[in-house]
Amino acid sequence: MENEKDCIFCKIAKGEVPSQKVYEDESVVAFKDLHPMAKVHVLVIPKGHYRDVGEIASADPGLLAHIVEVAGKIAKDKYDGSYRLVFNTGPDAGQTVFHAHAHVLTGECLAE
Ligand code: 5GP
Ligand code: ZN
């Protein structure tokens, strides 16, 4: 996938914009959300630019499975393995950054 010009998460993936990274491999980066909504709130993003989670699912299902796997690993490393995984998709669902990202919420007992 092409990098999208001026995409903040492409820049974070390339290290051009600083972030607090908690995990990185050849295809994904995970970093702390600027405005945490839980004790541990990490975003897992593909290094390639995809608009949303549906686009990843269509183009590269294995990459989507890998994002879920990394989310689980973070929840085990940082807590007891429980986590909430959220993909806001589209403006009316609260998506504000149009580079697909998984919100991993963990680190405490989450409100329902
Ligand atoms: P969305 O609303 O698109 O589902 O989630 C975007 C998330 O990205 C928000 O939770 C917001 O706090 C986070 N965010 C936006 N810009 C930055 C940034 O430059 N650095 C980090 N670490 N998080 C960001
Ligand atoms: Zn991007």
Side-chain angles (χ1 to χ4, degrees), residues 20-93:
Q20 290 184 273
K21 284 185 191 169
V22 300
Y23 177 84
E24 179 168 13
D25 63 25
E26 60 288 347
S27 58
V28 305
V29 183
F31 54 96
K32 293 184 183 175
D33 195 290
L34 265 189
H35 300 110
M37 305 291 283
K39 269 195 185 150
V40 176
H41 184 173
V42 168
L43 302 175
V44 184
I45 66 168
K47 287 187 170 174
H49 184 90
Y50 299 86
R51 184 186 64 245
D52 59 35
V53 65
E55 199 170 272
I56 306 178
S58 302
D60 191 346
L63 177 59
L64 181 54
H66 183 55
I67 288 169
V68 175
E69 186 181 44
V70 168
K73 176 180 160 40
I74 290 165
K76 281 198 196 97
D77 288 351
K78 305 272 181 200
Y79 193 51
D80 70 353
S82 303
Y83 61 100
R84 185 169 293 158
L85 194 60
V86 176
F87 291 92
N88 294 325
T89 307
D92 284 3

Side-chain angles (χ1 to χ4, degrees), residues 3-4 7-10 48-50 98-99:
N3 289 324
E4 195 142 293
C7 169
I8 183 76
F9 285 1
C10 281
H49 184 90
Y50 299 86
F98 290 85
H99 178 131

